[in-house]
Amino acid sequence: MTYEPTLEHACRRDEADPLRAYRQRFALPRDERGKPTIFLCGHSLGLMPLAARQLVTEELDDWARLAVLGHEHARRPWIPYHENLTEGLMHLTGAKAGEVIAMNSLTVNLHLMLASFYRPAGKRTKILIETGAFSSDRHAVTSQLAWHGLDVAGHLLELTPPAGTDTIPEEAIESCLEQHGPEIALVLWPGVQFRTGQAFDLPRIARAARRAGAVMGFDLAHSIGNMPLALHDYDADFAVWCSYKYLNAGPGAIGGCFVHERHLLQDIPATRGSSSVAAGATQPPHLMGWWGHEERTRFRMESQFRAAPGISGWQISNPPILAAAPLIASLAIFQEARIENLRAKSVELTGYLESLIGRLEPDARFITPREVRARGCQISIRITGSPTRGRRAFEKLGERGVICDWRDPDVIRVAPVPLYNTFEEVFRFSEQLAQVLREIA
Ligand SMILES: Cc1ncc(COP(=O)(O)O)c(C=O)c1O
């Protein structure tokens, strides 16, 4: 596919886009004068699906109308509310029923998973992460080490990109696991790196972790709703994510969690829906709360804990209905549009962006890999020149109605999201960036 650096070309691409109608199903932000902005920040907080308002309003109405009776009699009863989300999450994660759940938020879920799966024993005590890991992931991991009485210096392995590069080749992860394998208890890796936009080959990393005898956990904050996933087939042990980025479920929305069926017990019959977890699996211990108790007998409030089947047993508290309702709206859109179709459009959008930014080199440089399989929606651009030039360029883009974001020390992140962004916006963004760079040469 050839790309032309003209507005006409961009508009022609939009007209030919089979997914173009989905844009109308989102609230498109405007500036204070009511002018449409160029929103390219779905990697941070996705746009509001218009249907979310109705879903939230329905829950408020049911609360007003039914009060406590809404737990059982709301149009979507609150007790099993999270089950409204399971099918959509299965589609996006490639999980089996019983392996995936919406609950809590990302870092909380990460702690719950580490409580279950980080079991240092003998020589196998280390956790492997990347040097540039998202701060919250590193905090979670270092505090878990401390929880076990282990020091960071001796037990946290951090893999750095090769000198002079920004990204970590999968070979480097494999070599590290080969070299340190017997000491590594757990690998925590992102699906897409938040700063560089690098998308990792997850099945390859999971295979390497398993060969080394380590537990494999993924942070999919920047992957879910961005790229197709097949967590069950990847044989990951666990994964966690948030729903406010590509899943468009709103600020502080309910997060999600995956545990592979080989860690799940099915010794208690499911009371609702079906669970396909493996017979004979052994389940690691997990932190408990009443919502992880089997649903049928939960309200007997017995002192003995009887785990709900599958990953449901990991639940702690009753679900935040108002933080989950928008996700129902968003997942319905994903199920209609299909993640494979969205990925195909995303590849075209980032391909177009790459060709346009290529014309701005050496002032602007892609740090996201050029290889299509190694990137998702997000493109990270380094602005060269003085140390303050990038930040100034970012601020000037904001003044011109471009919503993107900045990551210290020198990266502008943009993400054309196939559900609601257009080729025209990609073109206009590159024009604005070109002008801004000329102004602050
Ligand atoms: C990669 C990654 N990990 C963890 C977090 C923290 O998420 P939360 O505040 O939902 O726990 C984020 C938030 O953006 C993230 O991008």
Side-chain angles (χ1 to χ4, degrees):
M1 181 67 69
T2 55
Y3 300 111
E4 295 164 27
T6 64
L7 182 59
E8 293 68 36
H9 174 82
C11 292
R12 272 203 310 279
R13 297 297 295 254
D14 286 327
E15 276 158 32
D17 169 18
L19 300 175
R20 68 184 178 282
Y22 286 105
R23 177 174 168 84
Q24 308 312 324
R25 292 172 59 179
F26 289 87
L28 303 170
R30 292 173 175 270
D31 68 14
E32 62 281 1
R33 280 158 299 163
K35 198 166 153 248
T37 56
I38 299 176
F39 179 84
L40 293 172
C41 220
H43 56 277
S44 179
L45 185 83
L47 294 185
M48 185 187 98
L50 295 175
R53 192 185 297 278
Q54 173 73 18
L55 278 145
V56 173
T57 304
E58 282 176 9
E59 297 314 328
L60 291 173
D61 286 348
D62 282 353
W63 178 22
R65 189 170 56 91
L66 298 166
V68 69
L69 301 181
H71 282 306
E72 285 179 352
H73 300 294
R75 66 202 91 183
R76 283 172 291 274
W78 299 330
I79 289 174
Y81 196 84
H82 63 279
E83 292 175 11
N84 292 299
L85 303 163
T86 306
E87 220 180 290
L89 291 177
M90 286 165 63
H91 163 60
L92 291 177
T93 58
K96 287 188 176 183
E99 288 182 324
V100 70
I101 195 160
M103 61 179 189
N104 310 310
S105 49
L106 194 166
T107 313
V108 171
N109 286 335
L110 180 54
H111 273 298
L112 295 181
M113 292 295 103
L114 291 171
S116 289
F117 288 102
Y118 176 53
R119 318 283 307 283
K123 280 197 159 54
R124 203 179 274 283
T125 56
K126 295 186 179 171
I127 298 181
L128 173 64
I129 63 171
E130 24 129 31
T131 302
F134 194 90
S135 57
S136 199
D137 292 24
R138 194 175 188 282
H139 300 327
V141 162
T142 55
S143 56
Q144 289 277 341
L145 289 174
W147 193 251
H148 287 274
L150 300 172
D151 66 323
V152 172
H155 298 90
L156 185 64
L157 274 177
E158 294 177 274
L159 194 57
T160 305
T165 69
D166 292 293
T167 53
I168 303 181
E170 280 85 1
E171 295 78 44
I173 308 167
E174 287 169 338
S175 310
C176 177
L177 281 161
E178 269 159 35
Q179 196 185 337
H180 301 280
E183 297 172 354
I184 300 179
L186 183 141
V187 181
L188 176 65
W189 212 259
V192 172
Q193 216 283 341
F194 80 97
R195 193 187 306 273
T196 64
Q198 178 182 9
F200 289 97
D201 184 338
L202 302 188
R204 185 169 168 184
I205 298 171
R207 275 195 305 276
R210 285 184 74 71
R211 269 199 309 277
V215 167
M216 181 73 244
F218 288 118
D219 176 342
L220 301 177
H222 293 262
S223 306
I224 192 161
N226 176 359
M227 307 179 78
L229 297 163
L231 291 178
H232 178 84
D233 293 344
Y234 299 166
D235 225 9
D237 291 290
F238 71 85
V240 292
W241 55 88
C242 55
S243 309
Y244 41 78
K245 299 179 186 295
Y246 298 100
L247 291 196
N248 313 312
I254 191 168
C257 202
F258 163 90
V259 172
H260 196 279
E261 70 171 359
R262 68 175 168 280
H263 300 298
L264 300 170
L265 290 179
Q266 199 188 16
D267 55 352
I268 295 165
T271 49
R272 198 185 303 258
S274 67
S275 177
S276 64
V277 292
T282 52
Q283 188 158 310
H286 57 79
L287 299 178
M288 297 185 303
W290 73 320
W291 227 253
H293 194 278
E294 66 156 344
E295 196 183 315
R296 194 169 48 88
T297 56
R298 183 184 292 143
F299 284 89
R300 286 190 204 152
M301 312 288 192
E302 288 163 352
S303 53
Q304 187 63 33
F305 184 82
R306 289 163 60 83
I311 193 171
S312 300
W314 260 267
Q315 292 176 103
I316 303 276
S317 300
N318 70 102
I321 304 303
L322 298 177
L327 186 54
I328 296 182
S330 177
L331 290 177
I333 298 177
F334 275 99
Q335 280 187 278
E336 238 180 276
R338 310 305 293 173
I339 188 70
E340 299 75 19
N341 300 330
L342 293 166
R343 171 68 179 156
K345 176 175 170 186
S346 168
V347 167
E348 293 297 324
L349 284 168
T350 51
Y352 192 37
L353 182 57
E354 179 179 19
S355 76
L356 295 168
I357 299 297
R359 296 159 58 228
L360 305 182
E361 282 180 6
D363 291 286
R365 285 221 181 92
F366 248 54
I367 63 168
T368 308
R370 302 281 172 152
E371 214 185 332
V372 167
R373 68 139 199 100
R375 68 183 191 219
C377 294
Q378 180 189 322
I379 298 300
S380 301
I381 301 167
R382 173 167 293 137
I383 305 298
T384 57
S386 76
T388 56
R389 191 175 181 219
R391 178 87 213 182
R392 278 165 59 220
F394 163 69
E395 282 162 6
K396 275 186 172 286
L397 284 169
E399 288 160 18
R400 288 157 176 259
V402 176
I403 304 179
C404 52
D405 68 7
W406 171 258
R407 283 291 168 269
D408 280 332
D410 56 2
V411 172
I412 291 176
R413 302 188 304 175
V414 290
V417 171
L419 269 176
Y420 48 73
N421 283 124
T422 61
F423 289 86
E424 181 180 339
E425 286 174 313
V426 168
F427 176 78
R428 290 194 187 281
F429 162 72
S430 77
E431 290 291 286
Q432 297 286 6
L433 182 59
Q435 274 181 29
V436 159
L437 291 175
R438 276 196 297 274
E439 282 172 25
I440 50 171

